[in-house]
Amino acid sequence: MITTAAPEFAANFPNGGRLAGLDVGTKTIGVATCDVNWSFATPDKTIKRTKFSADFDVLKTVLAAHSIVGLVVGLPLNMDGTDSPRTQSTRAFARNLAPLGLPLLLWDERWSTAAVERAMIAADVSRAKRAARVDSAAAAFILQGAIDALTR
């Protein structure tokens, strides 16, 4: 099941459970996870993209290690809310995750990477460390936004 509706997604988890957030880029996939009560999201890792089958295997291993029950995938909409080529690519990526058998929520990610970069700059994180951490931190930003909406 792939949805953009938070209530429909939440209905799959009457007892909570750990969720993973994904920031899908052209070169990397940022991964974040949250606790079973959906209180806080934590950056986990960044997967360097290669072929989809290899990316899928790495992602499947990460999700299994954390006992993930659902996915939140950042959807890169245009500023006016319309789809872009990147949006279509992300939707295709989400459809290709169907063999995982996990409910999937597509979540508006506009400004997520920019917000994370600004916060890292404000915290005086070096450019090299920002580059290594920005994707998983953006995934955590996306996931936190979704779990905040899911718990309201």
Side-chain angles (χ1 to χ4, degrees):
M1 174 205 83
I2 298 174
T3 184
T4 57
E8 182 182 350
F9 179 73
N12 290 285
F13 314 105
N15 300 318
R18 294 190 76 182
L19 302 176
L22 303 179
D23 180 30
V24 181
T26 56
K27 296 179 183 177
T28 61
I29 302 168
V31 181
T33 60
C34 74
D35 61 303
V36 296
N37 298 316
W38 302 352
S39 300
F40 56 90
T42 306
D44 186 69
K45 72 181 306 164
T46 300
I47 300 169
K48 297 230 184 277
R49 295 206 54 188
T50 56
K51 293 193 299 190
F52 179 79
S53 59
D55 300 343
F56 183 83
D57 290 341
V58 172
L59 189 55
K60 190 163 76 169
T61 301
V62 170
L63 300 177
H66 290 290
S67 303
I68 298 300
V69 298
L71 296 173
V72 176
V73 177
L75 189 63
L77 298 169
N78 287 323
M79 292 312 293
D80 64 0
T82 60
D83 283 3
S84 68
R86 281 278 330 273
T87 309
Q88 293 302 322
S89 173
T90 300
R91 288 183 193 277
F93 184 88
R95 285 190 301 272
N96 289 334
L97 295 177
L100 293 172
L102 299 174
L104 193 144
L105 175 65
L106 293 171
W107 191 255
D108 184 354
E109 72 158 34
R110 286 178 277 186
W111 297 106
S112 61
T113 302
V116 167
E117 286 235 4
R118 280 195 305 272
M120 288 179 159
I121 290 168
D124 204 27
V125 176
S126 74
R127 186 180 304 255
K129 288 183 181 178
R130 283 196 316 265
R133 298 179 186 160
V134 71
D135 296 312
S136 61
F141 186 89
I142 292 163
L143 181 56
Q144 188 67 53
I147 62 177
D148 288 348
L150 292 168
T151 58
R152 282 191 209 131

